[in-house]
Amino acid sequence: MHHKMRRKDRCLSDEDARAVLTKGQFGTLATITAEGEPYAVPLSYVLWNGEVYFHCATTGEKVDNIAANANVCFSVVTHQEPTAATGYSVYYESCTIFGKARRITDETEFCESLLALSTKYFPDNLDIFESELQSQRDRTAVYAISIDRMTGKSKPKPR
Amino acid sequence: MQTEMRRKDRKLTEEETRSVLEKCQYGILSVITPEGEPYGVPVSYVALDGIVYFHCGMTGKRIDSITANPAVSFTVVGDTEPVFGPGYSTYYESCIIAGTVREITDPEKKCAVLRALVERYLPAYTADIDKELKKEKITRIFAIDPSHMTGKAKKKPA
């Protein structure tokens, strides 16, 4: 059973939620530890071919967690601004994804998603992409998060 | 069990970690839903003596989750900036807390937290604070008792 959003007046359309995901500069990946506790880390990411791709080292806590339980939640915030306009509140814009993380082993998908990631953050420095890829590939893992459910939420600042 | 930080060169001291926590404007509260899935939600918060406090409505997904499982992860991120040269990297600073939530039910303590939240986020508008404190009865407030706190950064050279 999934909760309906309590504040429906703040729910974003699918298209607007996806725009938040495209615009975001980092996201927070929540995983489940072996002990059944949440563990969340901030990450760089790219929305590519309808999924969220991120990279990391080949070992570490999130790698272990995902191997044991692929269920993840990914949260992105693109605006946050406290306001006292009508009582105390916050203007904000965010998007939350629920899905499964899978390790990318396909060579083409591995390279192309890293190129998409590099293009998002370093559009003017892609000349070194090939050499970076070659020097880092053996210690890099790439994951894709399927977007099984997505909710965008916003309290927009009046124009 | 808490995994050791892989990149020890990026580990912050306890004091630096607290300053990241005090500076950041929102955090992601991650919980486990009754269905056993992770769920992360952005929240406003205030840190008082190293304890993170947040408030929310009377009902909702995060309340159902922490009622069933009080273990949470709380993540804040300060300044981030992609940095090029020699390779691709990012300047960032972040703090991650593993802990357990505890509800604050004492009305006086609840008001103290609400006051601290207003003073942190809207310091120029504290005149209306008494009106806000009337909402104490329809607001739930939780504290995160930390079992583990880590700060990590790749600092931009000064």
Side-chain angles (χ1 to χ4, degrees), chain A residues 29-31 51-52 54 62 65-67 69-73 98-104 142-146 148:
Chain A
L29 176 79
T31 59
E51 295 188 299
V52 168
F54 68 90
K62 64 182 161 295
N65 292 348
I66 291 168
N69 184 342
N71 286 321
V72 300
C73 179
F98 300 89
K100 288 190 165 43
R102 68 164 197 285
R103 179 105 170 231
I104 303 305
V142 176
Y143 288 86
I145 304 169
S146 58
D148 298 348

Side-chain angles (χ1 to χ4, degrees), chain B residues 21 38 45 52 58 69 73 79 93 125 154 157:
Chain B
L21 193 60
Y45 70 95
V52 167
M58 298 303 283
N69 182 349
S73 175
D79 300 325
E93 51 183 1
Y125 298 93
K154 174 167 177 153

